[in-house]
Amino acid sequence: MKPTLISGGSYTDKRGTLSFNNDFDVSDVKRIYSISNANMETIRAWQGHKVEQRWFTAVIGVFEIKLIKIDNWEHPSKNLEKYHYTLTSESMDILHIPSGYVSSIQDVEGNSKLLVMADYGLDELNDEFRFDATYFNKK
C-alpha cells in the first residue's frame, strides 16, 4: 500500500475560518500526539513501523515529509524510492502512512506543529524502528 493524501478544506466568512477534513475516517485512531521541531534545521529522520500506521496533519505552519517503504528491516537498501509531501495548516490535508514506512519530518516555516495519529496504543506493541538520519542519502 502506498501513502495517500486525504484532502481537507476550509471555509471563511466574517467570523473567521473553519478548517475541516470530512473524508478522514478516525475509527482506526487510538492515540494522538503532536511534534514541534526545535528549529527549521532539525530533521526527524528516519523512523517508522512495520505494523503501525500513522496519519499526519499540520495544525500550525508547514512541514516537509519524506517517506520510504522499507524492503528489509534488518538491512534496508540505501537507494529506496522517497515519497515527498508538503503539509500546510491552511489545507488540513491528512497524510496516511501505511505500515512498513519510515519518515523524515522537517519544519520548513518555523514554529510549526504536526499532529500525529496512530492506530495502536503506546504499549500495545514493540514496533519502532530507527535508522541514522544519513542512512538513505544517495552517494
Side-chain angles (χ1 to χ4, degrees):
M1 178 180 276
K2 289 187 177 184
T4 54
L5 195 63
I6 305 164
S7 296
S10 64
Y11 172 77
T12 302
D13 64 16
K14 65 183 178 181
R15 299 169 294 172
T17 301
L18 171 77
S19 298
F20 56 86
N21 193 310
N22 294 331
D23 294 326
F24 177 53
D25 179 357
V26 299
S27 60
D28 288 334
V29 174
K30 289 195 175 180
R31 68 185 173 100
I32 61 172
Y33 58 93
S34 67
I35 294 173
S36 297
N37 285 357
N39 54 53
M40 291 175 24
E41 290 76 33
T42 299
I43 302 173
R44 294 175 176 262
W46 292 95
Q47 70 180 46
H49 307 274
K50 270 188 193 181
V51 177
E52 190 172 85
Q53 58 185 327
R54 302 278 170 109
W55 296 267
F56 292 170
T57 188
V59 292
I60 299 172
V62 180
F63 282 90
E64 179 180 317
I65 309 293
K66 295 178 186 171
L67 303 172
I68 296 174
K69 173 81 169 157
I70 298 299
D71 60 347
N72 178 321
W73 289 93
E74 300 303 319
H75 302 287
S77 301
K78 293 187 177 194
N79 61 346
L80 297 169
E81 179 181 4
K82 288 181 184 157
Y83 298 88
H84 297 257
Y85 298 90
T86 301
L87 297 178
T88 175
S89 58
E90 292 181 10
S91 66
M92 201 170 203
D93 292 343
I94 297 174
L95 177 60
H96 173 234
I97 300 109
S99 57
Y101 284 81
V102 292
S103 63
S104 166
I105 300 168
Q106 185 173 15
D107 176 352
V108 296
E109 191 172 85
N111 299 311
S112 298
K113 184 179 281 191
L114 187 71
L115 182 71
V116 180
M117 296 165 274
D119 65 342
Y120 280 87
L122 193 55
D123 296 323
E124 280 189 79
L125 73 148
N126 183 12
D127 184 44
E128 187 169 318
F129 293 83
R130 293 176 186 250
F131 301 96
D132 184 88
T134 61
Y135 186 86
F136 296 103
N137 291 356
K138 292 186 179 178
K139 306 268 182 208

